[in-house]
């Protein structure tokens, strides 16, 4: 694997790679040479460069695009044009038309695209997805997703995360995790969204720290999403998911886990290990024994819903997803 963009998430990918036999880090690219060199130093034999084209050289089977979102589409298209498989960080692109270019390039190259919607690989979500697939609740009709996290700043966010032109906006670039998860679990596509942003803990920040999204799906199902990165106690997690269907209900709350009540906050076991699981899945995709869990129509639907939610939050009105397509 070659990694382009040697920042925080790339380090997580490289750490996960070290534990998954069958894939190894061969090369790192970053526009900052010291970042590329530092990341490459974590894997024996890995080389580094500041030239993006070296991320899809002959020595590479899969290019992991881990840059900030504004370059995701162009870098992925170039990697596919060189015949590489692509692991693409979320959000896949900043416009639906750009995601369409990526999907078309993957199809033309006949190479797999896995979008790093890492929430899918959290143990609780894999379990719930399996239960839904096994028919435990019939057809999903209602979802309620709550992800509350201890505050991430000061210090946690910087640069592109605070610049909507580069990130897509907070509702888009973090909301896409939740909207992708629901698109997958509900096996349906969002058609209309209404989002409200809030500055709860850090009123001076240039971006809202929290938001809510109401979602209507094509088949008439509804979802409520609550995301917050501003719980007063840093490191705290409160995660809940309720999925109700025509014949049953599934429910999970991190508050039911023993770790939720320890003195020092720790991530709930229900969400741990996702990066390693995603990396094992990528290896299986490269080996040809699995299809990418993020199917192309879901990549497009989740991104479109996230961009529509951002527009809704910005303009204070419900938005039909087709407005951004
Ligand atoms: N899947 C997840 O759970 C998850 C978690 C965190 C971040 N992310 C995503 O990962 C991506 C990166 O986030 P991050 O927190 O690692 O950011 P970061 O700012 O820490 O790192 C990005 C790196 O990319 C480099 N870069 C940017 N554009 C480049 C270009 N065109 N060519 C070469 N290098 C370039 C920067 O110099 C920087 O070192 C974002 O899209 C973000 O949304 C995903």
């Amino acid at each position: 694997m070659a990694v382009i963009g040697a920042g925080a998430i790339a380090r997580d990918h490289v750490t996960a790679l070290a534990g998954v036999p069958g894939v190894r880090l061969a090369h790192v690219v970053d526009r900052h040479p010291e970042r590329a060199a530092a990341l490459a130093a974590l894997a024996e034999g890995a080389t580094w460069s500041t030239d993006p084209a070296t991320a899809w050289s002959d020595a590479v089977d899969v290019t992991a695009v881990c840059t900030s979102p504004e370059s995701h589409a162009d870098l992925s298209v170039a990697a596919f044009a060189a015949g590489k498989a692509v692991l693409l960080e979320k959000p896949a692109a900043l416009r639906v038309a750009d995601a369409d270019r990526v999907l078309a390039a993957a199809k033309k190259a006949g190479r797999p695209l896995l979008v790093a919607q890492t929430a899918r690989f959290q143990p609780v979500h894999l379990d719930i997805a399996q239960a839904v697939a096994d028919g435990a609740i019939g057809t999903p009709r209602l979802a309620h997703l709550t992800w509350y996290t201890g505050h991430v700043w000061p210090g946690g966010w910087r640069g592109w995360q605070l610049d909507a032109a580069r990130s897509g906006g907070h509702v888009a670039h973090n909301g896409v995790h939740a909207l992708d998860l629901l698109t997958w679990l509900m096996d349906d596509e969002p058609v209309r969204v209404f989002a409200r942003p809030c500055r709860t803990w850090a009123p001076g920040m240039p971006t809202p720290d929290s938001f809510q999204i109401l979602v209507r799906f094509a088949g008439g199902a509804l979802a409520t999403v609550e995301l917050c990165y501003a719980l007063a106690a840093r490191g705290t997690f409160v995660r809940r998911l309720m999925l109700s269907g025509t014949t049953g209900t599934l429910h999970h709350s991190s508050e039911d886990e023993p770790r939720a009540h320890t003195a020092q906050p720790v991530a709930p076991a229900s969400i741990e290990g996702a990066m390693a699981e995603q990396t094992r899945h990528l290896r299986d995709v490269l080996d040809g024994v699995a299809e990418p869990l993020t199917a192309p129509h879901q990549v497009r639907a989740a991104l479109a819903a996230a961009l529509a939610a951002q527009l809704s939050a910005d303009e204070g009105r419900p938005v039909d997803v087709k407005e951004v397509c």
Side-chain angles (χ1 to χ4, degrees):
M1 174 188 284
V3 169
I4 179 161
I9 200 65
R11 186 163 283 257
D12 287 354
H13 284 297
V14 167
T15 303
L17 272 184
V20 176
V23 203
R24 70 174 184 89
L25 180 70
H27 188 65
V28 179
V29 179
D30 198 289
R31 53 163 67 117
H32 296 280
E34 70 286 359
R35 293 186 198 171
L39 193 63
L42 298 182
E44 200 181 331
T47 53
W48 65 270
S49 163
T50 55
D51 175 9
T54 59
W56 42 85
S57 70
D58 289 348
V60 165
D61 295 316
V62 54
T63 303
V65 177
C66 299
T67 56
S68 38
E70 78 276 10
S71 54
H72 284 183
D74 285 348
L75 293 172
S76 301
V77 167
F80 280 125
K84 306 304 165 186
V86 173
L87 171 65
L88 173 56
E89 265 305 339
K90 47 61 56 178
L94 293 181
R95 281 172 295 276
V96 175
D98 286 333
D100 285 343
R101 284 198 294 125
V102 174
L103 295 168
K107 193 170 178 185
K108 186 172 174 204
R111 300 294 285 142
L113 167 70
L114 179 66
V115 177
Q117 298 293 174
T118 315
R120 292 196 189 202
F121 297 91
Q122 293 172 354
V124 60
H125 297 144
L126 289 170
D127 287 352
I128 286 177
Q130 189 61 55
V132 173
D134 290 345
I137 62 166
T139 305
R141 297 294 293 162
L142 288 168
H144 190 153
L145 181 73
T146 297
W147 291 345
Y148 279 23
T149 306
H151 70 84
V152 295
W153 51 70
W157 284 12
R158 67 226 176 268
W160 68 265
Q161 286 115 329
L162 303 177
D163 179 354
R166 300 181 66 203
S167 71
H170 189 195
V171 177
H173 85 82
N174 271 326
V176 74
H177 275 304
L179 291 162
D180 172 79
L181 183 70
L182 292 172
T183 297
W184 177 50
L185 293 176
M186 311 285 276
D187 192 19
D188 201 355
E189 299 193 2
V191 290
R192 191 167 166 84
V193 292
F194 182 41
R196 280 190 186 282
C198 185
R199 287 171 168 79
T200 52
W201 189 82
M205 292 298 290
T207 180
D209 52 47
S210 306
F211 53 88
Q212 301 168 351
I213 313 173
L214 295 176
V215 189
R216 178 175 286 284
F217 289 81
L222 293 176
T224 310
V225 173
E226 302 173 304
L227 257 68
C228 163
Y229 291 78
L231 291 183
R234 200 164 192 149
T236 316
F237 288 87
V238 177
R239 301 259 175 154
R240 295 190 209 111
L241 175 59
M242 192 284 301
L243 204 55
S244 189
T246 47
T247 62
T249 302
L250 293 163
H251 176 256
H252 170 265
S253 171
S254 63
E255 290 154 294
D256 297 336
E257 296 181 43
R259 288 173 179 222
H261 307 288
T262 50
Q264 286 297 321
V266 263
S270 56
I271 67 171
E272 283 210 326
M275 187 59 91
E277 193 61 37
Q278 181 178 271
T279 308
R280 282 190 286 275
H281 174 65
L282 175 68
R283 190 261 325 271
D284 291 348
V285 168
L286 295 172
D287 284 349
V289 297
E291 288 295 316
L293 194 59
T294 51
H297 72 281
Q298 295 168 347
V299 170
R300 187 178 200 275
L303 177 68
L307 296 172
Q310 183 66 54
L311 181 62
S312 172
D314 291 345
E315 297 193 353
R317 64 178 177 89
V319 169
D320 285 328
V321 173
K322 62 176 187 253
E323 272 190 55
V324 300
C325 293

